[in-house]
Amino acid sequence: MTRVLRTRAELRAALARAPRPIGLVPTMGWLHGGHRALMRRARDADATTVVTIFVNPRQFDQAADFGRYPRSEARDLAICAEEEVDLVWMPPVEEVYPADFDTRVSVGALAGPLEGAARPGHFEGVATVVAILFALVGAEHAYFGQKDAQQVMVIRRMALDLALPTEVIACPTVREPDGLALSSRNFHLSPAERAAAPVLRRALLAARGRWEAGERSGEALRAAMRAVLASEPLAEGEYVSCADAETLAELERVQGPALLSLAVRFGPTRLIDNEPLPGPAG
Ligand code: PAF
């Protein structure tokens, strides 16, 4: 049976009796098939699955974006029950950030480009809340979606640097049949925007196709993504990137593992996606 907890004290008491290992799935709610896949990974590998649902105000660079983030407690709890989650922590904001809270996790170079450049303060907010969640839950494993590839890298770096004992596990992006990556933000797309949104995947696959055909110029791969985005009038490309898979530095030549990624706006809704390029032997 899924137990819903609100306070740090309730969480601590439940965890004290929870069989180990513990698998943590941190979320901001409005759960979808991508989250379900993370819960299943945790359920398969861990004796206790803990899902946290908290729309973290500190990772939104714009108040309006925070305000319009979709929320439904009943819907989310029904999904957690279906997925046989053991514990759901749904704290009010003051349980995560008490009134005298005064600490930030300062993130380094990995958080600089791409989402970090487009959304100032975003990764500091993510790293701060994830550090709190890791400390409170003390899980052996934490599961994150590869759709947010840079987020996974920043969190993994933080966990290593701060010697946090939770292992960060990245899970494959879950997609709609037309290729659109599942995201809570898809909810905001109008029917026309929803029909246009698979352009992100098409752009990534166009660049991947060029790479498979032997193209190694980073700029040519970025241009291939831009060209596909330009063919979709509702899509406003924010960035396209072909970057080193370890440092996220933009590449002139692709000679090892790389990450293709992009951010695209459909009206006020901003979507991201990515595609890894394996190294020469991959
Ligand atoms: O990916 C998300 O939903 C959030 O960034 C996370 C990791 C739950 C932190 O608030």
Tab-separated table of all heavy atoms in Angstrom, residues 117-158:
chain	number	residue	atom	x	y	z
A	117	ALA	N	22.595	28.226	-19.333
A	117	ALA	CA	22.669	29.560	-19.940
A	117	ALA	C	21.269	30.109	-20.196
A	117	ALA	O	21.018	31.304	-20.042
A	117	ALA	CB	23.459	29.478	-21.250
A	118	ALA	N	20.351	29.217	-20.582
A	118	ALA	CA	19.003	29.676	-20.929
A	118	ALA	C	18.170	29.984	-19.686
A	118	ALA	O	17.246	30.797	-19.750
A	118	ALA	CB	18.296	28.603	-21.762
A	119	ARG	N	18.495	29.339	-18.561
A	119	ARG	CA	17.658	29.480	-17.360
A	119	ARG	C	18.560	29.756	-16.148
A	119	ARG	O	18.864	28.845	-15.369
A	119	ARG	CB	16.849	28.189	-17.140
A	119	ARG	CG	16.034	27.784	-18.353
A	119	ARG	CD	15.321	26.466	-18.135
A	119	ARG	NE	14.354	26.554	-17.056
A	119	ARG	CZ	13.733	25.501	-16.506
A	119	ARG	NH1	14.003	24.292	-16.919
A	119	ARG	NH2	12.866	25.662	-15.535
A	120	PRO	N	18.990	31.018	-15.994
A	120	PRO	CA	19.943	31.337	-14.912
A	120	PRO	C	19.410	30.895	-13.551
A	120	PRO	O	18.255	31.126	-13.226
A	120	PRO	CB	20.045	32.876	-14.984
A	120	PRO	CG	19.553	33.239	-16.353
A	120	PRO	CD	18.581	32.184	-16.774
A	121	GLY	N	20.265	30.238	-12.795
A	121	GLY	CA	19.890	29.799	-11.440
A	121	GLY	C	19.187	28.449	-11.403
A	121	GLY	O	19.013	27.861	-10.325
A	122	HIS	N	18.797	27.950	-12.570
A	122	HIS	CA	18.012	26.714	-12.607
A	122	HIS	C	18.750	25.556	-11.934
A	122	HIS	O	18.208	24.886	-11.037
A	122	HIS	CB	17.680	26.370	-14.062
A	122	HIS	CG	17.101	25.000	-14.253
A	122	HIS	ND1	15.864	24.647	-13.765
A	122	HIS	CD2	17.597	23.883	-14.864
A	122	HIS	CE1	15.618	23.385	-14.069
A	122	HIS	NE2	16.647	22.900	-14.729
A	123	PHE	N	20.000	25.326	-12.336
A	123	PHE	CA	20.687	24.147	-11.814
A	123	PHE	C	21.102	24.319	-10.351
A	123	PHE	O	21.218	23.331	-9.626
A	123	PHE	CB	21.882	23.777	-12.689
A	123	PHE	CG	21.465	23.082	-13.965
A	123	PHE	CD1	21.827	23.585	-15.198
A	123	PHE	CD2	20.678	21.937	-13.924
A	123	PHE	CE1	21.432	22.944	-16.371
A	123	PHE	CE2	20.266	21.298	-15.089
A	123	PHE	CZ	20.650	21.797	-16.315
A	124	GLU	N	21.337	25.547	-9.930
A	124	GLU	CA	21.582	25.762	-8.502
A	124	GLU	C	20.348	25.320	-7.705
A	124	GLU	O	20.448	24.644	-6.676
A	124	GLU	CB	21.894	27.233	-8.228
A	124	GLU	CG	22.184	27.494	-6.775
A	124	GLU	CD	22.428	28.966	-6.480
A	124	GLU	OE1	23.558	29.423	-6.713
A	124	GLU	OE2	21.480	29.642	-6.020
A	125	GLY	N	19.176	25.665	-8.223
A	125	GLY	CA	17.925	25.273	-7.565
A	125	GLY	C	17.725	23.767	-7.588
A	125	GLY	O	17.300	23.167	-6.586
A	126	VAL	N	18.034	23.147	-8.723
A	126	VAL	CA	17.897	21.683	-8.823
A	126	VAL	C	18.873	21.007	-7.857
A	126	VAL	O	18.494	20.118	-7.087
A	126	VAL	CB	18.161	21.209	-10.273
A	126	VAL	CG1	18.274	19.690	-10.324
A	126	VAL	CG2	17.068	21.694	-11.219
A	127	ALA	N	20.124	21.433	-7.895
A	127	ALA	CA	21.148	20.776	-7.067
A	127	ALA	C	20.814	20.952	-5.584
A	127	ALA	O	20.987	20.020	-4.782
A	127	ALA	CB	22.529	21.353	-7.378
A	128	THR	N	20.326	22.112	-5.220
A	128	THR	CA	20.001	22.364	-3.807
A	128	THR	C	18.881	21.433	-3.343
A	128	THR	O	18.993	20.764	-2.311
A	128	THR	CB	19.617	23.841	-3.602
A	128	THR	OG1	20.715	24.657	-4.030
A	128	THR	CG2	19.298	24.139	-2.144
A	129	VAL	N	17.805	21.345	-4.132
A	129	VAL	CA	16.695	20.501	-3.678
A	129	VAL	C	17.083	19.023	-3.720
A	129	VAL	O	16.717	18.250	-2.821
A	129	VAL	CB	15.392	20.781	-4.471
A	129	VAL	CG1	15.381	20.094	-5.827
A	129	VAL	CG2	14.180	20.339	-3.664
A	130	VAL	N	17.846	18.619	-4.727
A	130	VAL	CA	18.219	17.199	-4.810
A	130	VAL	C	19.171	16.836	-3.667
A	130	VAL	O	19.066	15.746	-3.095
A	130	VAL	CB	18.808	16.865	-6.203
A	130	VAL	CG1	19.396	15.458	-6.219
A	130	VAL	CG2	17.728	16.995	-7.275
A	131	ALA	N	20.050	17.747	-3.288
A	131	ALA	CA	20.928	17.472	-2.135
A	131	ALA	C	20.084	17.274	-0.871
A	131	ALA	O	20.354	16.377	-0.065
A	131	ALA	CB	21.926	18.619	-1.952
A	132	ILE	N	19.056	18.092	-0.710
A	132	ILE	CA	18.167	17.944	0.462
A	132	ILE	C	17.455	16.587	0.406
A	132	ILE	O	17.383	15.860	1.407
A	132	ILE	CB	17.138	19.099	0.506
A	132	ILE	CG1	17.842	20.436	0.721
A	132	ILE	CG2	16.088	18.855	1.594
A	132	ILE	CD1	16.944	21.651	0.489
A	133	LEU	N	16.944	16.241	-0.781
A	133	LEU	CA	16.223	14.966	-0.917
A	133	LEU	C	17.155	13.786	-0.661
A	133	LEU	O	16.784	12.818	0.022
A	133	LEU	CB	15.579	14.855	-2.304
A	133	LEU	CG	14.504	15.900	-2.610
A	133	LEU	CD1	14.033	15.764	-4.061
A	133	LEU	CD2	13.319	15.780	-1.661
A	134	PHE	N	18.367	13.859	-1.197
A	134	PHE	CA	19.326	12.772	-0.967
A	134	PHE	C	19.615	12.649	0.537
A	134	PHE	O	19.703	11.546	1.075
A	134	PHE	CB	20.633	13.028	-1.724
A	134	PHE	CG	20.598	12.665	-3.196
A	134	PHE	CD1	19.400	12.438	-3.859
A	134	PHE	CD2	21.775	12.545	-3.924
A	134	PHE	CE1	19.372	12.100	-5.214
A	134	PHE	CE2	21.766	12.198	-5.278
A	134	PHE	CZ	20.556	11.981	-5.920
A	135	ALA	N	19.779	13.778	1.213
A	135	ALA	CA	20.094	13.746	2.647
A	135	ALA	C	18.912	13.194	3.444
A	135	ALA	O	19.090	12.400	4.373
A	135	ALA	CB	20.451	15.149	3.123
A	136	LEU	N	17.704	13.614	3.086
A	136	LEU	CA	16.532	13.189	3.868
A	136	LEU	C	16.210	11.712	3.653
A	136	LEU	O	15.819	11.014	4.580
A	136	LEU	CB	15.306	14.029	3.481
A	136	LEU	CG	15.282	15.458	4.016
A	136	LEU	CD1	14.122	16.230	3.402
A	136	LEU	CD2	15.156	15.444	5.541
A	137	VAL	N	16.349	11.257	2.407
A	137	VAL	CA	15.898	9.888	2.089
A	137	VAL	C	17.039	8.879	2.316
A	137	VAL	O	16.780	7.738	2.689
A	137	VAL	CB	15.336	9.820	0.643
A	137	VAL	CG1	14.930	8.396	0.274
A	137	VAL	CG2	14.143	10.766	0.498
A	138	GLY	N	18.273	9.303	2.076
A	138	GLY	CA	19.396	8.385	2.274
A	138	GLY	C	19.278	7.128	1.426
A	138	GLY	O	19.626	6.026	1.857
A	139	ALA	N	18.805	7.294	0.197
A	139	ALA	CA	18.573	6.139	-0.678
A	139	ALA	C	19.894	5.582	-1.201
A	139	ALA	O	20.878	6.315	-1.347
A	139	ALA	CB	17.689	6.553	-1.853
A	140	GLU	N	19.897	4.302	-1.510
A	140	GLU	CA	21.045	3.696	-2.197
A	140	GLU	C	21.081	4.166	-3.658
A	140	GLU	O	22.145	4.347	-4.233
A	140	GLU	CB	20.967	2.164	-2.155
A	140	GLU	CG	21.498	1.548	-0.878
A	140	GLU	CD	20.504	1.617	0.282
A	140	GLU	OE1	19.393	2.146	0.090
A	140	GLU	OE2	20.858	1.161	1.383
A	141	HIS	N	19.890	4.309	-4.263
A	141	HIS	CA	19.810	4.647	-5.694
A	141	HIS	C	18.813	5.786	-5.907
A	141	HIS	O	17.781	5.835	-5.225
A	141	HIS	CB	19.326	3.442	-6.514
A	141	HIS	CG	20.112	2.196	-6.262
A	141	HIS	ND1	19.559	1.037	-5.768
A	141	HIS	CD2	21.437	1.944	-6.424
A	141	HIS	CE1	20.505	0.118	-5.629
A	141	HIS	NE2	21.657	0.644	-6.016
A	142	ALA	N	19.108	6.650	-6.887
A	142	ALA	CA	18.113	7.660	-7.292
A	142	ALA	C	18.016	7.618	-8.807
A	142	ALA	O	19.037	7.509	-9.506
A	142	ALA	CB	18.521	9.044	-6.826
A	143	TYR	N	16.800	7.703	-9.323
A	143	TYR	CA	16.533	7.482	-10.746
A	143	TYR	C	16.072	8.782	-11.394
A	143	TYR	O	15.162	9.461	-10.881
A	143	TYR	CB	15.455	6.394	-10.902
A	143	TYR	CG	15.888	5.083	-10.290
A	143	TYR	CD1	15.673	4.806	-8.941
A	143	TYR	CD2	16.563	4.126	-11.048
A	143	TYR	CE1	16.092	3.616	-8.367
A	143	TYR	CE2	16.985	2.932	-10.478
A	143	TYR	CZ	16.749	2.679	-9.138
A	143	TYR	OH	17.175	1.500	-8.571
A	144	PHE	N	16.696	9.105	-12.540
A	144	PHE	CA	16.373	10.330	-13.282
A	144	PHE	C	16.251	9.991	-14.759
A	144	PHE	O	16.916	9.073	-15.257
A	144	PHE	CB	17.486	11.374	-13.111
A	144	PHE	CG	17.668	11.839	-11.693
A	144	PHE	CD1	18.522	11.160	-10.829
A	144	PHE	CD2	16.967	12.931	-11.204
A	144	PHE	CE1	18.685	11.576	-9.506
A	144	PHE	CE2	17.127	13.359	-9.888
A	144	PHE	CZ	17.990	12.674	-9.039
A	145	GLY	N	15.433	10.766	-15.471
A	145	GLY	CA	15.229	10.535	-16.896
A	145	GLY	C	16.341	11.168	-17.730
A	145	GLY	O	16.775	12.297	-17.464
A	146	GLN	N	16.774	10.432	-18.746
A	146	GLN	CA	17.841	10.899	-19.630
A	146	GLN	C	17.375	12.072	-20.508
A	146	GLN	O	18.198	12.758	-21.101
A	146	GLN	CB	18.307	9.713	-20.486
A	146	GLN	CG	19.520	9.955	-21.351
A	146	GLN	CD	20.762	10.335	-20.541
A	146	GLN	OE1	20.935	9.910	-19.393
A	146	GLN	NE2	21.619	11.161	-21.121
A	147	LYS	N	16.063	12.318	-20.564
A	147	LYS	CA	15.591	13.481	-21.336
A	147	LYS	C	16.253	14.755	-20.817
A	147	LYS	O	16.580	15.648	-21.573
A	147	LYS	CB	14.074	13.623	-21.246
A	147	LYS	CG	13.573	14.790	-22.099
A	147	LYS	CD	12.097	15.006	-21.964
A	147	LYS	CE	11.712	15.661	-20.672
A	147	LYS	NZ	12.005	17.098	-20.576
A	148	ASP	N	16.440	14.805	-19.492
A	148	ASP	CA	17.113	15.953	-18.890
A	148	ASP	C	18.585	15.579	-18.707
A	148	ASP	O	19.085	15.447	-17.577
A	148	ASP	CB	16.447	16.303	-17.558
A	148	ASP	CG	14.994	16.705	-17.755
A	148	ASP	OD1	14.733	17.631	-18.534
A	148	ASP	OD2	14.109	16.062	-17.156
A	149	ALA	N	19.277	15.397	-19.822
A	149	ALA	CA	20.631	14.837	-19.779
A	149	ALA	C	21.576	15.722	-18.969
A	149	ALA	O	22.392	15.215	-18.183
A	149	ALA	CB	21.160	14.667	-21.210
A	150	GLN	N	21.468	17.034	-19.157
A	150	GLN	CA	22.388	17.922	-18.427
A	150	GLN	C	22.084	17.873	-16.922
A	150	GLN	O	23.000	17.894	-16.098
A	150	GLN	CB	22.263	19.355	-18.956
A	150	GLN	CG	23.327	20.300	-18.399
A	150	GLN	CD	23.195	21.701	-18.962
A	150	GLN	OE1	22.179	22.037	-19.605
A	150	GLN	NE2	24.201	22.531	-18.731
A	151	GLN	N	20.812	17.779	-16.587
A	151	GLN	CA	20.435	17.663	-15.165
A	151	GLN	C	21.087	16.423	-14.549
A	151	GLN	O	21.630	16.485	-13.440
A	151	GLN	CB	18.918	17.587	-15.043
A	151	GLN	CG	18.432	17.194	-13.660
A	151	GLN	CD	16.944	17.369	-13.464
A	151	GLN	OE1	16.478	18.472	-13.274
A	151	GLN	NE2	16.181	16.287	-13.498
A	152	VAL	N	21.020	15.308	-15.267
A	152	VAL	CA	21.629	14.077	-14.739
A	152	VAL	C	23.130	14.295	-14.516
A	152	VAL	O	23.684	13.898	-13.478
A	152	VAL	CB	21.403	12.890	-15.704
A	152	VAL	CG1	22.145	11.655	-15.218
A	152	VAL	CG2	19.925	12.581	-15.851
A	153	MET	N	23.780	14.962	-15.475
A	153	MET	CA	25.232	15.175	-15.354
A	153	MET	C	25.556	16.070	-14.156
A	153	MET	O	26.498	15.809	-13.406
A	153	MET	CB	25.777	15.792	-16.644
A	153	MET	CG	25.711	14.832	-17.830
A	153	MET	SD	26.068	15.638	-19.400
A	153	MET	CE	27.849	15.832	-19.264
A	154	VAL	N	24.780	17.132	-13.994
A	154	VAL	CA	25.028	18.065	-12.885
A	154	VAL	C	24.804	17.363	-11.544
A	154	VAL	O	25.602	17.503	-10.604
A	154	VAL	CB	24.110	19.309	-13.029
A	154	VAL	CG1	24.133	20.160	-11.766
A	154	VAL	CG2	24.516	20.135	-14.253
A	155	ILE	N	23.743	16.571	-11.466
A	155	ILE	CA	23.432	15.885	-10.196
A	155	ILE	C	24.481	14.815	-9.898
A	155	ILE	O	24.936	14.653	-8.762
A	155	ILE	CB	22.009	15.283	-10.245
A	155	ILE	CG1	20.967	16.412	-10.266
A	155	ILE	CG2	21.766	14.346	-9.065
A	155	ILE	CD1	19.555	15.934	-10.505
A	156	ARG	N	24.887	14.091	-10.938
A	156	ARG	CA	25.903	13.041	-10.725
A	156	ARG	C	27.210	13.672	-10.227
A	156	ARG	O	27.844	13.179	-9.301
A	156	ARG	CB	26.107	12.292	-12.037
A	156	ARG	CG	26.980	11.099	-11.903
A	156	ARG	CD	26.965	10.268	-13.165
A	156	ARG	NE	25.839	9.361	-13.233
A	156	ARG	CZ	25.236	8.982	-14.363
A	156	ARG	NH1	25.655	9.451	-15.520
A	156	ARG	NH2	24.233	8.126	-14.342
A	157	ARG	N	27.582	14.800	-10.851
A	157	ARG	CA	28.801	15.517	-10.444
A	157	ARG	C	28.692	15.954	-8.982
A	157	ARG	O	29.608	15.799	-8.184
A	157	ARG	CB	28.970	16.727	-11.368
A	157	ARG	CG	30.183	17.585	-11.193
A	157	ARG	CD	31.418	16.942	-11.793
A	157	ARG	NE	32.231	16.375	-10.739
A	157	ARG	CZ	33.172	15.441	-10.918
A	157	ARG	NH1	33.426	14.961	-12.110
A	157	ARG	NH2	33.868	14.999	-9.922
A	158	MET	N	27.522	16.532	-8.656
A	158	MET	CA	27.314	17.008	-7.281
A	158	MET	C	27.427	15.853	-6.287
A	158	MET	O	28.079	15.977	-5.244
A	158	MET	CB	25.935	17.644	-7.154
A	158	MET	CG	25.593	18.016	-5.730
A	158	MET	SD	23.861	18.418	-5.495
A	158	MET	CE	23.079	16.816	-5.602
